[in-house]
């Protein structure tokens, strides 16, 4: 079943190239095998059309399933099962400009707990067709862990904003240090609003141990 889904998603991703291929095959075959050329051309065009529709409807499901897997594994590892997870995504490689869901995304996660937040960065990059996997020692299992996990109490966060020049979410600490996370504007702005809501109900103190 997964193989069939992969084929449909790949057709949807590369439908433009496949349409050109279908046309070239038609031109080559039609002088000698007109019936075969017409049948093959119609089949490929229909396959491209339904592949495109399938991609539009189900590619995002794979991204959502992947990020859900990462957040569940992260909550369990970091012992923050009651925290609210928010995904910070950065668009990567695209199939073509007609498809809204990209082939690749760089993923970072913010977990909002009652008194602190946890930043999980350097997470495995999402690839629609080839998820990052471990080594043979890990039995080639899909990677579920982010390489960096940092915890910050709201009391020591001064402000938060999205920097349009660097295209990063900047969390300014009371020590003066800035924690920056790569993200597209839309998910970053949601995170800004969520964190500002937390900060409005938090008394801030001065952090005396600056980050190194």
């Amino acid at each position: 079943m997964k193989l069939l889904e992969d084929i449909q998603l790949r057709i949807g991703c590369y439908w433009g190239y496949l349409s050109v291929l279908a046309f070239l095959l038609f031109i080559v075959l039609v002088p000698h095998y007109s019936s075969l050329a017409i049948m093959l051309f119609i089949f490929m065009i229909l396959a491209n059309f339904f592949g495109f529709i399938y991609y539009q409807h189900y590619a995002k499901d794979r991204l959502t399933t992947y990020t859900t897997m990462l957040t569940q594994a992260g909550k369990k590892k970091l012992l923050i099962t009651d925290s609210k997870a928010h995904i910070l995504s950065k668009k990567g490689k695209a199939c073509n400009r007609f498809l809204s869901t990209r082939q690749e995304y760089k993923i970072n996660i913010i977990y909002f707990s009652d008194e602190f937040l946890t930043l999980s960065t350097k997470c495995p990059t999402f690839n629609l067709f080839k998820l990052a996997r471990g080594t043979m020692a890990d039995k080639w299992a899909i990677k579920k862990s982010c390489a960096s996990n940092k915890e910050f109490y709201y009391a020591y966060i001064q402000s938060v904003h999205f920097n349009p020049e660097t295209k990063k979410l900047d969390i300014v600490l009371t020590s003066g240090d800035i924690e920056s996370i790569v993200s597209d504007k839309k998910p970053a702005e949601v995170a800004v609003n969520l964190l500002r809501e937390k900060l409005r109900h938090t008394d801030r103190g001065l952090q005396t141990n600056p980050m190194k």
Side-chain angles (χ1 to χ4, degrees):
M1 185 65 179
K2 187 177 183 300
L3 178 60
L4 180 59
E5 291 177 353
D6 283 341
I7 292 173
Q8 290 177 295
L9 287 171
R10 286 182 183 276
I11 290 174
C13 183
Y14 303 112
W15 68 272
Y17 298 107
L18 294 174
S19 296
V20 173
L21 177 61
F23 179 74
L24 292 176
L25 285 174
F26 177 78
I27 295 298
V28 171
L29 294 176
V30 73
H32 308 288
Y33 309 98
S34 58
S35 297
L36 175 63
I38 293 172
M39 291 175 61
L40 184 61
F41 180 76
I42 293 174
F43 172 78
M44 292 186 70
I45 293 301
L46 288 175
N48 290 343
F49 174 76
F50 288 112
F52 180 87
I53 299 300
Y54 188 88
Y55 189 104
Q56 285 283 54
H57 282 83
Y58 296 105
K60 190 173 182 179
D61 288 348
R62 283 204 174 184
L63 174 61
T64 301
T65 299
Y66 181 71
T67 54
T68 299
M69 177 189 68
L70 285 184
T71 56
Q72 289 178 344
K75 287 181 179 182
K76 183 177 180 181
K77 176 182 177 181
L78 300 169
L79 304 178
I80 50 173
T81 54
D82 295 330
S83 298
K84 179 179 180 180
H86 176 70
I87 304 298
L88 294 173
S89 58
K90 176 68 175 177
K91 294 176 182 176
K93 182 179 179 181
C95 289
N96 58 71
R97 62 189 180 90
F98 298 103
L99 296 169
S100 55
T101 302
R102 298 293 183 100
Q103 184 177 339
E104 287 188 351
Y105 286 88
K106 183 176 291 185
I107 302 296
N108 295 302
I109 309 171
I110 300 181
Y111 298 98
F112 292 93
S113 300
D114 290 338
E115 297 181 354
F116 61 89
L117 63 80
T118 305
L119 298 179
S120 290
T121 57
K122 300 180 181 178
C123 304
T125 299
F126 169 79
N127 184 292
L128 185 67
F129 305 119
K130 188 178 181 181
L131 298 181
R133 293 182 177 273
T135 61
M136 184 170 63
D138 302 315
K139 299 181 180 179
W140 312 111
I142 295 173
K143 289 185 177 180
K144 300 179 182 179
S145 298
C146 301
S148 176
N149 297 287
K150 297 180 181 180
E151 188 175 285
F152 300 94
Y153 281 83
Y154 301 126
Y156 299 111
I157 297 176
Q158 182 62 42
S159 63
V160 59
H161 64 273
F162 175 72
N163 190 327
E165 295 182 359
T166 61
K167 295 183 179 180
K168 293 180 179 180
L169 174 70
D170 289 341
I171 298 177
V172 183
L173 306 180
T174 56
S175 64
D177 293 309
I178 300 176
E179 188 71 17
S180 297
I181 310 100
V182 173
S183 176
D184 286 327
K185 183 178 180 179
K186 187 174 180 179
E189 288 182 335
V190 174
V192 167
N193 291 333
L194 290 172
L195 183 49
R196 283 178 177 171
E197 183 64 25
K198 291 286 188 180
L199 296 180
R200 290 188 187 104
H201 300 90
T202 303
D203 292 328
R204 244 86 86 217
L206 180 63
Q207 186 175 356
T208 57
N209 54 333
M211 294 169 55
K212 301 295 184 181

